[in-house]
Each structure stands twice: as structure tokens, then as C-alpha cells.
Amino acid sequence: MAATTGQPAATNLPAATVTGLLSEIANTGTDTIRGGYTRPVYSTAELDLRNWFIEQAAKRGLAVETDRNGAIWAWWDVPGGDRSNSLVTGSHLDSVPGGGAFDGPLGVASALVAVDILKARMATPTRPLAVVVFPEEEGSRFGVACLGSRLMSGAIDPDKARNLRDQDGSTFADVAKANGLDPRYVGRDDELLGQIGAFVELHVEQGRGLIDLNQPIAIASSILGHGRWRLSIHGQGNHAGTTLMADRHDPMVSASRTVVAIRDIARNQAHARATVGRLQPVPGGTNVIASRVDFWLDVRHPDDAVTAALVESIHAQARIIAAEEGCTVDLREESLSPTVHFDPQLQKELQQALPQAPILDTGAGHDAGVLAPHVPTAMVFVRNPSGVSHSPEEHVVDEDAETGAHTLAEALRGLMA
């Protein structure tokens, strides 16, 4: 790891609150067009948030380091500095375009407040504790969700990661280098993985589970398997005014019909989710018939075999539709995460510390899910009274936010015992 601060100096801080911390970043990365927040990794907004986190960690006397994959670690060390069997918590600070205020930052702010609570109860930790901020969790810039944790755990090939491109054509390698990382060294970090004894991520719930249960907090049981694929439909680019309708091979027509077919295929499979959230015509002129249309498919289901079958069914239907319009189609997998079941022993320990918390699964991906095959992981969800996420409507009431941080502190204290 490369240190990003000097020797930390512990200070006596007034008691922080989650809502107070979140208010400090409430104007960072606001999106005046979409509403909400747009904070892609290594954007000005996300870099400002990373600096904010480093400052907050330093105020708490934590030793701050950035690993070779761009994750920031803030350590509360035991005497002697041994970091084996460390207890880790945290989340991310990047967002989807026009996202909400809580997806990611709630977990980071709650982790900082949990540290404050624990520091008030004990002079030194009985187990090393770190707060981590993972980069590019949303995949909104380079198209691969949880890129930081995927790199650290070896879940993505470093060469593939280095060659990922954003919408401006910049590679991840170039962007990483411009922000102080050496792209030659990104990839699996066995030394760091070996230090993690448990990872507990607090996150805003991204559905209605806690609303329906009328509970503020839940413990996660599993994450639905999910993946992202890019469909490209190739047609004939041409002039919008001179090309007769009968003479067209319009990939936009094929794409629009395929999007409807995707919805219908998913509706016919219990518990399936299939989404097209981004569509990009090439060249994209208003008076031009596109030569190609790229669109990105997100598919999720509890059974990984069903997920694969859904994607194959969608691909087959897309080929039929494309052929009817005189077009062709190809499909490329960009990321795939199997269904994750969180560590049963860690889940049991959390239940002992939080006996009132119900158990929920989730259809949303998280860094905790990526790390689950490599280290014991668990998640705590905080109620979202809107039931809406990845949207400005995402919300957490103040009382639930503070309850979440105190719950996290209690869970961490139980794991330190």
C-alpha cells in the first residue's frame, strides 16, 4: 500500500452523526440535469469525496493508505501494528448517473460514526479495524461493477481492466495513472486479502423489504446472481430523408423491439429481473439512420442456471428480430457475478449482536458479494422508506441512519469480543 497521509494525529472530536457527515458532502457532485448525484470514479466530485474521507479518517487518528487498486483504507491499529485477522467495514463513494445520496456514502459515514462509538468505549481495539472505500463500485464509468474489489480479489483479469474504456475513450489504465496509481500493478492482492478476517458492509436497502417488515435494520442473507452484457445490433447507416422506409436496415428498430422482448422474457420467468438502462446509437445524429446500436443488458435471478438461460433466450430472440430488419446482432459478456450466500458463521454472530434484525436477500450487487468467495463477509441494510434506489428519490430518515451506525458499532463490538 502507498500511504496518502503522514503520521495520523488523534484528536478529540465531538460526537459525529451520520446525517451530519452526509450533510458535509450534500453539494458534491449534484446533477442539475438528471437530479440527484453523478459521481463517477476519478471525476472531480468523486475525488473530492475521497479527500473528504481521508480528512475524516485522519481526524480520528486512523492511518490512511491507498492500495494498488485504488481502494482507500483507514486503519485503527492494535498495539504493535499487526493487521492479521482484521475487521473491515465500509462501502463506496461513486454513484450511478443521477443517483441518490445514500447508495455508498451511507455505509462510509456510518462506518466513521461506528469508529467514534467504539473509540468512546475502548482505548485500543482488541482486533485491527479498517474502514475501506472501494472505487468504481457502480461501474458507471468503465462498465464493470465493483471494479476495485474485483481487482483486489482477482475476479477480473488485470489486462481486461487496464483496457476498459469510458465513454470518452479513455482507458482505465490511463485514468488510473493520471490519478496516482501505477496500472502495471493492479490486480489480485493476496497480502491484503490475507489480512481480512471479516468484512461487514452497511448499505441502504435498495428495495421494499424493510418497508414491508416495518423494521429499520436487516441482516443480509444473499445476493442474487447477476451480470451485464452488451448487445450490438448492426444495420445500414443512411440518410433519414432520402432512404425509403422499405429500403431500410435500421438497427434502432431492432433494438427497440428487442428491449420490449427482453421485458416479456423476464416477465415469464419467476423472480427474474432484466433491464436495459443504457442505449447508444452510432453515430447518433437526429437526421441519420444509425449504422449500429449498442445497448447494455442487466439480468438477475437467484438461480445462476436460470440467469444463463435467460440471457441465451434474449440473445436468440434478438437474432430473430435483427434478421427480420435485415440486421445482425452480437452479444458480449462484460461482467458476471454468481449468486452469493454470505458467510453463515458471520451471519450467526451478527444475529447474536442484533437479535431483532430480520434476514433479507437482495437483488443488488455489492463489494461484499465480490469478496465473499475469498473472505467471510456480511451486510447490514438500513431502511429506505421510498423503496427506490439508483434515483434521487432514494432516502433514509435521520433516525434510521443513526440507528444503522449504532447497530454497525454493536455488530463490530460483538465481533471484537
Side-chain angles (χ1 to χ4, degrees):
M1 290 189 181
T4 56
T5 68
Q7 182 67 29
T11 57
N12 294 320
L13 291 174
T17 63
V18 176
T19 52
L21 288 174
L22 291 178
S23 70
E24 295 180 12
I25 59 174
N27 294 322
T28 304
T30 54
D31 192 320
T32 58
I33 297 174
R34 302 178 182 91
Y37 296 89
T38 296
R39 298 161 166 170
V41 68
Y42 295 130
S43 64
T44 299
E46 199 259 0
L47 290 171
D48 286 347
L49 293 180
R50 290 164 72 90
N51 287 332
W52 166 83
F53 172 73
I54 290 169
E55 292 170 0
Q56 289 294 328
K59 287 179 181 179
R60 288 162 171 79
L62 306 180
V64 182
E65 300 173 342
T66 300
D67 70 23
R68 65 174 184 247
N69 294 305
I72 307 173
W73 299 76
W75 290 92
W76 185 18
D77 285 311
V78 295
D82 180 12
R83 290 177 176 173
S84 60
N85 195 33
S86 294
L87 188 55
V88 181
T89 186
S91 193
H92 63 97
L93 292 170
D94 64 306
S95 79
V96 297
F102 300 92
D103 182 353
L106 178 69
V108 175
S110 297
L112 291 169
V113 172
V115 168
D116 292 344
I117 295 169
L118 292 172
K119 277 180 170 283
R121 295 180 179 179
M122 59 182 74
T124 58
T126 56
R127 183 177 179 182
L129 176 64
V131 180
V132 63
V133 173
F134 284 110
E136 183 70 333
E137 192 270 356
E138 299 292 2
S140 61
R141 181 163 186 177
F142 293 102
V144 175
C146 301
L147 182 58
S149 56
R150 286 181 189 274
L151 281 166
M152 186 182 80
S153 62
I156 185 172
D157 181 82
D159 284 334
K160 178 180 178 180
R162 281 186 281 264
N163 289 297
L164 293 171
R165 292 183 181 272
D166 63 16
Q167 292 189 57
D168 295 328
S170 300
T171 66
F172 172 71
D174 289 340
V175 173
K177 186 174 182 179
N179 286 279
L181 294 183
D182 190 330
R184 295 175 298 174
Y185 300 118
V186 299
R188 184 177 172 91
D189 192 333
D190 287 309
E191 180 181 359
L192 188 50
L193 282 170
Q195 292 177 336
I196 302 173
F199 176 56
V200 181
E201 181 175 4
L202 180 144
H203 205 279
V204 61
E205 195 209 350
Q206 295 176 279
R208 295 189 51 85
L210 283 168
I211 298 173
D212 296 338
L213 292 170
N214 193 30
Q215 293 288 330
I217 302 294
I219 298 169
S221 60
S222 60
I223 296 176
L224 272 63
H226 61 282
R228 294 181 185 181
W229 292 261
R230 174 155 59 169
L231 282 156
S232 295
I233 299 181
H234 303 266
Q236 175 62 62
N238 216 327
H239 195 291
T242 62
T243 310
L244 299 179
M245 300 305 291
D247 296 335
R248 298 185 179 203
H249 305 291
D250 189 344
M252 184 64 82
V253 174
S254 296
S256 61
R257 291 178 59 195
T258 301
V259 170
V260 176
I262 289 168
R263 179 202 63 183
D264 295 341
I265 290 168
R267 279 182 171 178
N268 288 327
Q269 176 64 59
H271 309 299
R273 285 91 152 161
T275 306
V276 175
R278 178 181 165 203
L279 185 147
Q280 185 173 314
V282 178
T286 56
N287 61 345
V288 179
I289 300 167
S291 59
R292 186 182 85 244
V293 175
D294 298 327
F295 55 106
W296 284 260
L297 171 67
D298 182 302
V299 179
R300 307 178 188 227
H301 191 275
D303 186 329
D304 297 335
V306 174
T307 300
L310 282 166
V311 174
E312 181 51 44
S313 179
I314 289 167
H315 190 196
Q317 189 61 32
R319 289 196 299 264
I320 292 170
I321 291 170
E324 290 173 352
E325 299 292 338
C327 298
T328 60
V329 61
D330 55 61
L331 175 75
R332 184 174 72 187
E333 178 186 302
E334 293 200 333
S335 66
L336 181 62
S337 299
T339 294
V340 170
H341 297 280
F342 289 113
D343 184 81
Q345 181 59 37
L346 186 53
Q347 184 176 319
K348 181 180 179 180
E349 292 182 57
L350 285 185
Q351 287 178 275
Q352 291 172 348
L354 313 172
Q356 304 303 316
I359 306 299
L360 282 181
D361 63 10
T362 180
H366 300 282
D367 291 307
V370 173
L371 295 179
H374 310 279
V375 299
T377 60
M379 291 193 71
V380 174
F381 293 131
V382 177
R383 177 169 49 194
N384 173 0
S386 71
V388 175
S389 189
H390 283 185
S391 162
E393 296 175 53
E394 175 185 274
H395 188 56
V396 174
V397 299
D398 292 356
E399 181 180 358
D400 285 354
E402 307 311 329
T403 297
H406 282 77
T407 297
L408 178 63
E410 187 62 25
L412 296 174
R413 189 181 69 83
L415 293 171
M416 282 186 176

